Amino acid sequence: MTILDGKSLSDKIKDELKGKIDSYLTKPLLAVISIGNDAASEIYVNNKKKACAEGGIESFEYALPEETTQAELIALIDK
């Protein structure tokens, strides 16, 4: 039976990806738009932002209030 060390494997994969990302001429980025307050979504987004930082990927978060209209959301996306 093989026991897999998920943490060390994850770290190895992240290091390999960071090396590949550093070689790109145009760096990838992650943009997240969240509307309202949802604790589970906040945790998910924070984990993605942390993974991006570890991998050398720039990330942005736009946290909008629950009252955001469709027109306001479209205006943000169209920027």
Side-chain angles (χ1 to χ4, degrees):
M1 176 170 67
T2 302
I3 298 177
L4 180 66
D5 181 356
K7 174 70 173 130
S8 63
L9 179 59
S10 172
D11 290 342
K12 179 182 175 189
I13 292 170
K14 287 177 187 176
D15 287 342
E16 289 173 5
L17 288 175
K18 185 173 183 339
K20 290 179 181 180
I21 289 168
D22 288 342
S23 69
Y24 292 148
L25 294 176
T26 303
K27 299 289 184 187
L29 65 89
L30 171 72
V32 176
I33 299 172
S34 59
I35 300 175
N37 296 323
D38 179 64
S41 292
E42 289 176 20
I43 291 169
Y44 178 82
V45 169
N46 286 335
N47 285 337
K48 297 303 143 199
K49 288 167 46 179
K50 180 181 173 187
C52 284
E54 291 172 354
I57 298 173
E58 190 172 3
S59 66
F60 299 96
E61 180 181 7
Y62 300 92
L64 305 176
E66 190 171 329
E67 302 80 27
T68 301
T69 66
Q70 182 176 359
E72 292 169 329
L73 178 59
I74 291 171
L76 174 62
I77 293 169
D78 283 342
K79 279 187 180 179

